[in-house]
């Protein structure tokens, strides 16, 4: 199956591959495919279960992401991809001022927020 157009090419991947943890044993998803899966997830914002099959099983990709996040590998990867100008990062921050929020105290002592549009 062909991968969606969100990934990086093999020649670009080689420029950052040396920074990634080594793969051990029988690995279902290679690092290049895994990086492309992460890029797909970042660009689409989809839940893990919606990951296309061409990237491997979503649970396998998620488990590797969880491991790499714990040991700092995803941070190194993100930095390297940006420094090599392989990807660009666009930060979007939704903003809301206090005029759109009404706070109500509930009898149980909890605070609920009602957002007015």
């Amino acid at each position: 199956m062909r991968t969606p157009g969100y990934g990086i090419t093999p020649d670009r991947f080689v420029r950052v591959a040396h920074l990634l943890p080594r793969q051990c044993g029988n690995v279902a998803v290679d690092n290049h495919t895994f990086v492309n899966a992460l890029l797909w997830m970042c660009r689409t914002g989809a839940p893990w279960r919606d990951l296309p099959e061409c990237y491997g099983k979503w649970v396998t990709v998620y488990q590797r992401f969880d491991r790499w996040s714990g040991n700092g590998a995803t941070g190194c990867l993100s930095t390297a991809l940006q420094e090599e100008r392989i990807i660009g990062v666009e930060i979007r921050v939704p903003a809301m001022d206090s005029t759109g929020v009404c706070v109500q105290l509930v009898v149980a002592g909890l605070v609920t927020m009602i957002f007015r549009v």
Side-chain angles (χ1 to χ4, degrees), residues 22-27:
R22 291 188 160 227
Q23 294 182 295
C24 301
N26 186 11
V27 181

Side-chain angles (χ1 to χ4, degrees), residues 12 14 26 37 41 50 53-55 57 75 81-82 100 102:
R12 288 184 173 189
V14 169
N26 186 11
M41 293 296 297
D50 291 346
E53 290 180 14
C54 59
Y55 295 120
K57 294 180 181 177
L81 289 171
Q82 292 173 62
C102 177

Side-chain angles (χ1 to χ4, degrees), residues 34 38 64-79:
F34 172 74
L38 286 185
R64 188 180 303 181
F65 170 75
D66 189 48
R67 255 192 338 269
W68 284 20
S69 294
N71 66 18
T74 54
C76 290
L77 174 64
S78 175
T79 302

Side-chain angles (χ1 to χ4, degrees), residues 3-71:
T3 59
Y6 293 105
I8 60 175
T9 60
D11 58 318
R12 288 184 173 189
F13 175 74
V14 169
R15 295 179 2 209
V16 295
H18 65 281
L19 300 170
L20 305 177
R22 291 188 160 227
Q23 294 182 295
C24 301
N26 186 11
V27 181
V29 178
D30 65 13
N31 282 343
H32 181 230
T33 303
F34 172 74
V35 170
N36 284 334
L38 286 185
L39 293 175
W40 185 89
M41 293 296 297
C42 290
R43 289 185 179 153
T44 64
W48 286 104
R49 290 181 185 266
D50 291 346
L51 185 70
E53 290 180 14
C54 59
Y55 295 120
K57 294 180 181 177
W58 73 268
V59 71
T60 303
V61 174
Y62 171 76
Q63 287 171 343
R64 188 180 303 181
F65 170 75
D66 189 48
R67 255 192 338 269
W68 284 20
S69 294
N71 66 18

Side-chain angles (χ1 to χ4, degrees), residues 104-115:
Q104 297 178 342
L105 294 176
V106 179
V107 178
L110 301 172
V111 176
T112 59
M113 296 180 122
I114 301 171
F115 296 95

